[in-house]
Amino acid sequence: MDCIFCKIIHGDIPNYTVYEDDYALAFLDIHPLVKGHTVVIPKVHAKILLDLSNEIVCDFFVDVKHVMELVENVFHPDGFTVGWNHGEAGGQVVPHLHVHILPRWDNDGGGNIHSIINNPGELSVEDIAKLF
Ligand code: 5GP
Ligand code: ZN
């Protein structure tokens, strides 16, 4: 498979591993947005979260929590921004699910999730609710 993160899992591309078990590999992002920027990927190839079984999602997100604890213990940040880009429209570049763990510090100059987009469209929240 021509997937850069699968190649990292298989050891074909080197990485700085933070944590690894049967379900996930966590490694330092090659272009860190902040000190300690770490990505966590499932060991099985899946482009998006919806491609994973519930069982794998459970094991994977337990590992995401564990990696947050490891980063917390090393850097003692004031907080975290954690998330993933889902699909090209969501900003995903590497087509293998990866959760970004960004340690955050008070006054580090970064934004929060509200700074990603502000384009709510014409429908009211009440109308949107009816769609469900
Ligand atoms: P995306 O935009 O798909 O959510 O993020 C992909 C991330 O993977 C980027 O932050 C990029 O720096 C990182 N990345 C891409 N290729 C490599 C690589 O070969 N090694 C590592 N460690 N990170 C990579
Ligand atoms: Zn892959």
Side-chain angles (χ1 to χ4, degrees):
M1 168 158 308
D2 191 27
C3 168
I4 193 168
F5 283 178
C6 281
K7 288 177 180 168
I8 286 178
I9 289 168
H10 293 136
D12 299 332
I13 295 175
N15 74 94
Y16 293 105
T17 297
V18 168
Y19 178 75
E20 180 171 15
D21 66 13
D22 289 344
Y23 315 108
L25 175 68
F27 53 92
L28 299 177
D29 196 293
I30 199 86
H31 298 300
L33 298 172
V34 68
K35 179 175 67 179
H37 181 177
T38 302
V39 290
V40 191
I41 66 176
K43 281 275 180 84
V44 296
H45 179 83
K47 179 181 178 186
I48 56 175
L49 185 70
L50 304 183
D51 293 336
L52 290 176
S53 70
N54 287 352
E55 290 75 16
I56 290 178
V57 168
C58 289
D59 293 327
F60 177 64
F61 273 94
V62 168
D63 282 345
V64 170
K65 178 188 176 193
H66 181 60
V67 174
M68 289 180 70
E69 291 167 343
L70 294 175
V71 175
E72 168 87 24
N73 289 339
V74 171
F75 293 109
H76 307 290
D78 299 315
F80 284 97
T81 296
V82 179
W84 61 96
N85 298 319
H86 180 125
E88 287 81 3
Q92 184 174 12
V93 173
V94 176
H96 182 130
L97 172 66
H98 47 286
V99 174
H100 292 267
I101 295 178
L102 302 173
R104 298 296 304 272
W105 283 268
D106 294 337
N107 305 310
D108 63 11
N112 63 18
I113 198 165
H114 300 283
S115 59
I116 294 173
I117 189 170
N118 185 9
N119 184 12
E122 303 299 322
L123 290 177
S124 68
V125 174
E126 184 181 10
D127 288 336
I128 295 287
K130 290 174 185 161
L131 300 176
F132 292 90

